[in-house]
């Protein structure tokens, strides 16, 4: 899993939609690093991206929150009907970038 943290909100998902969130790999961020990054989330714009089969999609996200520091986990809400949700489900992972003030062009 990219950044070894993440969850997908499957609200309004069809009964056949499934996503295996089990990740046997230990998180690559420490509790302290995770806490430091999450403390900055309220004042930033987040971008969620996913890639699968050579296709890459991304969008800004307003529904992002920290669920747990141990293990490090975040929740990102993506409309299940969005093409980005399809790529996340197919690949089983996504990336979350929290932009700095000087990255507003992104």
């Amino acid at each position: 899993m990219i950044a070894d943290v993440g969850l997908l909100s499957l609200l309004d998902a069809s009964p056949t939609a499934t996503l295996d969130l089990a990740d046997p790999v230990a998180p690559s961020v420490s509790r302290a690093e995770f806490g430091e990054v999450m403390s900055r989330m309220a004042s930033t714009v987040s971008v969620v991206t996913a890639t699968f089969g050579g296709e890459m999609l991304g969008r800004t996200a307003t529904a992002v929150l920290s669920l747990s520091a141990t293990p490090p986990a975040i929740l990102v809400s993506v409309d299940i009907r969005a093409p980005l949700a399809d790529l996340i489900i197919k690949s089983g992972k996504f990336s979350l970038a929290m932009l700095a003030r000087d990255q507003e062009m992104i």
Side-chain angles (χ1 to χ4, degrees):
M1 181 172 286
I2 296 175
D4 295 326
V5 293
L7 291 178
L8 171 68
S9 172
L10 293 175
L11 297 176
D12 301 322
S14 71
T16 60
T18 60
L19 180 62
D20 182 8
L21 298 176
D23 184 13
V25 178
S28 63
V29 293
S30 70
R31 179 184 170 111
E33 289 170 321
F34 185 78
E36 172 64 25
V37 170
M38 291 297 105
S39 71
R40 298 180 192 173
M41 186 178 292
S43 63
T44 190
V45 172
S46 296
V47 177
V48 179
T49 61
T51 183
F52 185 78
E55 182 178 9
M56 179 187 258
L57 292 173
R59 65 177 306 146
T60 56
T62 56
V64 178
L65 59 108
S66 169
L67 289 178
S68 168
T70 307
I74 58 173
L75 182 134
V76 176
S77 182
V78 176
D79 187 329
I80 194 65
R81 299 165 295 192
L84 177 59
D86 186 50
L87 286 185
I88 293 170
I89 291 168
K90 286 178 180 174
S91 69
K93 57 189 173 184
F94 64 91
S95 175
L96 178 69
M98 298 184 330
L99 304 182
R101 288 183 187 179
D102 63 345
Q103 293 177 306
E104 62 187 38
M105 284 295 287
I106 294 174

